[in-house]
């Protein structure tokens, strides 16, 4: 069914199709029993990461639901968790259109959305209307017109706003579509940012009598020295997780692809090896002391398993949803469940540890 719908949608502008699908899904979700039918198809494969119990390790990556518009339905697709956003302190329109492109022959997407969102106040108002049925991460960023030297203020403002409503908060410092944002990954800036975030997290935990983990999302376009520095600093400041990775500004395997000349971040299949390499190198430094959430080019259970073996504790998907539809969530979780059964282990965590020869 989705294959037929995809043929129609791919004749339309990519961003227009995105909004059209959201409208259709809202209408579909009003039918009695739809949510229950979707939920019951995904097997249980529980894992515990960051002190959070996830029904399965396959999450939705940030970027699909920037405004918490469709969280209930997305949760019912069978995801083990959702990451919503990126959301900024103030509303902003993002980059000029067109800003989202499909590369079907490469199973990829290219975007320069620029953190378009309704702002944290409206985002939370949307979120209030839903009783979460799975863990929810909220991805926060800085406003485009905030100078990089004042970026910390934006992150602290957004963190204070979303803290009581999130199971974890992601600090997005790696989108290639906000000018200067990736400068925050430089050692001096990163050190300052993490120090401020950790102090605020400690204060908020006391105020709310509840600890909310913080994850940091990094780029795939980092060299060994940069990865080593990031690993050192996330341990120094006791961050709770690292998400590896965001989209890439490189164009692996896209020589001769006309759309590859468009500015923006590339996601999907061409990102898979690059993101897995970052996960593997990052894990080499962290050695399990800080969890890793792997994202980038996951299309199958084998792809997810590869990232888990490389060092990830959870995985996220996005681009493959555009190409395969919501049924892919169940397929990946079922495939991982089969891996656990074949290993003779009782849990996914044990099966991954066995495969890593730990």
């Amino acid at each position: 069914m989705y294959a037929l719908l995809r043929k129609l949608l791919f004749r339309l502008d990519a961003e227009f199709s995105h909004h059209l699908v959201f409208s259709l899904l809202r209408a579909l979700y009003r039918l009695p029993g739809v949510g229950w039918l979707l939920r019951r198809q995904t097997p249980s494969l529980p894992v515990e990461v960051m002190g959070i119990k996830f029904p399965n390790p396959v999450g939705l990556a940030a970027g699909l639901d920037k405004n918490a518009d469709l969280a209930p339905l997305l949760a019912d697709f069978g995801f083990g968790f959702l990451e919503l956003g990126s959301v900024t302190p103030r509303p902003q329109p993002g980059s000029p259109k067109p800003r989202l492109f499909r590369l079907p022959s490469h199973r990829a997407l290219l975007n320069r959305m620029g953190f378009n969102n309704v702002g944290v106040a409206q985002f939370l108002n949307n979120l209030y209307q839903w009783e979460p049925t799975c863990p929810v991460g909220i991805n926060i960023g800085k406003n485009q017109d905030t100078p990089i030297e004042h970026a910390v203020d934006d992150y602290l403002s957004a963190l204070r706003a979303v803290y009581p409503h999130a199971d974890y908060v992601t600090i997005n410092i790696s989108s290639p579509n906000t000018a200067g944002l990736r400068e925050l990954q430089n050692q001096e800036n990163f050190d300052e940012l993490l120090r401020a975030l950790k102090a605020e997290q400690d204060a908020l935990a006391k105020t709310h009598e509840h600890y909310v983990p913080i994850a940091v999302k990094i780029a795939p376009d980092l060299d060994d020295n940069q990865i080593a520095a990031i690993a050192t600093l996330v341990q120094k400041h006791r961050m709770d997780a690292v998400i590896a990775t965001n989209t890439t500004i490189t164009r692996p395997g896209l020589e001769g692809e006309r759309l590859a000349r468009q500015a923006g971040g590339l996601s999907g299949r061409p990102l898979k090896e690059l993101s897995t390499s970052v996960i593997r190198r990052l894990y080499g430094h962290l050695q399990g002391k800080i969890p890793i959430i792997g994202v980038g080019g996951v299309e199958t259970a084998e792809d997810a398993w590869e990232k888990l073996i490389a060092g990830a504790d959870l995985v996220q998907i996005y681009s493959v949803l555009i190409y395969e539809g919501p049924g892919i969530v169940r397929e990946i979780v079922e495939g991982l469940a089969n891996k656990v059964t074949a290993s003779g282990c009782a849990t996914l965590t044990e099966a991954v540890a066995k495969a890593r020869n730990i």
Side-chain angles (χ1 to χ4, degrees), residues 52-66:
I52 303 169
K53 294 181 179 178
F54 297 89
N56 70 66
V58 181
L60 174 71
L64 186 72
D65 192 359
K66 296 175 182 294

Side-chain angles (χ1 to χ4, degrees), residues 57-189:
V58 181
L60 174 71
L64 186 72
D65 192 359
K66 296 175 182 294
N67 299 320
D69 284 324
L70 212 60
L73 178 57
L74 292 170
D76 285 341
F77 284 173
F79 284 108
F81 61 107
L82 304 179
E83 189 166 312
L84 308 176
S86 295
V87 62
T88 54
R90 292 172 283 108
Q92 61 182 30
S95 305
K97 298 178 182 179
R99 54 193 182 181
L100 178 63
F101 308 91
R102 307 183 196 94
L103 291 76
S105 60
H106 300 279
R107 305 271 292 188
L109 298 174
L110 197 157
N111 91 85
R112 51 170 178 265
M113 302 300 287
F115 284 173
N116 57 306
N117 72 100
V118 296
V120 72
Q122 183 59 50
F123 176 97
L124 291 175
N125 187 57
N126 294 343
L127 196 61
Y128 292 149
Q129 300 175 36
W130 174 54
E131 184 66 33
T133 55
C134 70
V136 172
I138 300 180
N139 184 302
I140 60 176
K142 84 168 190 72
N143 280 105
Q144 287 180 321
D145 59 358
T146 300
I148 200 71
E149 58 268 24
H150 298 302
V152 173
D153 297 333
D154 270 16
Y155 284 103
L156 293 177
S157 172
L159 177 62
R160 293 183 195 110
V162 305
Y163 188 94
H165 314 286
D167 290 290
Y168 71 91
V169 178
T170 296
I171 310 303
N172 189 344
I173 55 171
S174 52
S175 169
N177 302 315
T178 295
L181 187 71
R182 288 191 171 187
E183 293 177 21
L184 293 173
Q185 295 175 122
N186 296 341
Q187 189 165 351
E188 184 177 347
N189 293 335

Side-chain angles (χ1 to χ4, degrees), residues 172-237:
N172 189 344
I173 55 171
S174 52
S175 169
N177 302 315
T178 295
L181 187 71
R182 288 191 171 187
E183 293 177 21
L184 293 173
Q185 295 175 122
N186 296 341
Q187 189 165 351
E188 184 177 347
N189 293 335
F190 196 53
D191 194 15
E192 178 187 352
L193 175 64
L194 296 193
R195 182 181 294 108
L197 288 168
K198 191 63 188 182
E200 189 63 31
Q201 181 191 37
D202 290 342
L204 289 167
K206 291 178 182 176
T207 299
H208 295 281
E209 298 181 341
H210 174 60
Y211 183 85
V212 176
I214 293 179
V216 181
K217 189 166 187 176
I218 65 172
D221 312 310
L222 300 169
D223 61 30
D224 289 344
N225 290 335
Q226 290 171 310
I227 291 172
I230 285 172
T232 297
L233 290 172
V234 295
Q235 291 180 87
K236 172 185 173 181
H237 294 292

Side-chain angles (χ1 to χ4, degrees), residues 312-339:
D313 299 272
L314 301 166
V315 296
Q316 293 178 326
I317 63 173
Y318 178 171
S319 299
V320 70
L321 283 172
I322 309 303
Y323 288 99
E324 294 297 328
I328 193 64
V329 182
R330 181 185 70 252
E331 289 182 24
I332 293 174
V333 177
E334 285 181 345
L336 291 175
N338 291 338
K339 291 279 189 184

